[in-house]
């Protein structure tokens, strides 16, 4: 009988299709976020360099102008180190993962959609 190790299960959820991820970003994320270096903040912060960053740490993003001071605190208090695994969990249901966040996005329920998006983001946000 063939069994799959927990490590392989973990890795398989993070291997996605970057082209499909680009499409997901365009339809589900781009209205609020940009990814290019030096890109503008929109309703949400620019995501360039997100991998390795801690939540709530985009200094050029003004939550104050949106009256989202409490969201800033929720993201800072969460102190999440963004990597493939934390993003995978966060993108399923952002408001559950960081209580108090003001991100209106309901999340991506399908594992494959999250894997595809993260695979693309690893290229686009680097």
């Amino acid at each position: 009988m063939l069994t799959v190790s927990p490590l392989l299960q973990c890795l398989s959820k993070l291997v996605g299709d970057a082209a499909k991820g680009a499409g997901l970003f365009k339809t589900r994320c781009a209205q609020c976020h940009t990814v290019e270096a030096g890109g503008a903040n929109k309703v949400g912060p620019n995501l360039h360099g997100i991998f390795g960053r801690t939540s709530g740490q985009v200094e050029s993003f003004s939550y104050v102008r949106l009256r989202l001071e409490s969201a800033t605190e929720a993201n800072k208090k969460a102190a999440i180190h963004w990597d493939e695994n934390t993003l995978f969990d966060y993108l399923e249901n952002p408001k559950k993962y960081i209580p108090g966040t003001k991100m209106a996005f309901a999340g991506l329920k399908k594992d494959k959609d999250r894997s595809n998006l993260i695979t693309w983001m690893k290229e686009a946000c680097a």
Side-chain angles (χ1 to χ4, degrees):
M1 183 161 114
L2 179 66
T3 59
V4 179
S5 74
L7 176 60
L8 265 169
Q9 288 175 334
C10 181
L11 290 174
S12 69
K13 77 178 184 182
L14 298 176
V15 176
D17 181 324
K20 289 180 180 177
L24 281 166
F25 187 87
K26 183 177 179 180
T27 60
R28 305 292 299 274
C29 311
Q31 56 271 39
C32 296
H33 297 282
T34 60
V35 294
E36 64 276 351
N41 292 311
K42 292 181 167 183
V43 172
N46 174 279
L47 299 175
H48 186 80
I50 189 169
F51 295 97
R53 187 165 66 209
T54 302
S55 60
Q57 301 300 315
V58 178
E59 291 188 24
S60 64
F61 182 67
S62 175
Y63 293 92
V64 175
R65 71 180 169 83
L66 299 173
R67 300 180 190 269
L68 297 178
E69 295 90 350
S70 62
T72 301
E73 289 308 310
N75 286 306
K76 284 182 181 179
K77 281 184 181 181
I80 295 162
H81 177 80
W82 293 121
D83 62 22
E84 294 89 343
N85 290 307
T86 54
L87 254 168
F88 186 86
D89 294 339
Y90 174 77
L91 289 170
E92 182 176 15
N93 187 339
K95 288 186 179 198
K96 183 178 179 184
Y97 197 79
I98 301 179
T101 188
K102 298 298 182 196
M103 188 159 138
F105 181 62
L108 295 170
K109 304 307 176 210
K110 295 180 182 175
D111 289 0
K112 198 64 179 164
D113 286 345
R114 294 194 311 277
S115 296
N116 292 339
L117 179 58
I118 291 166
T119 298
W120 177 80
M121 287 178 68
K122 285 170 53 179
E123 297 171 10
C125 297

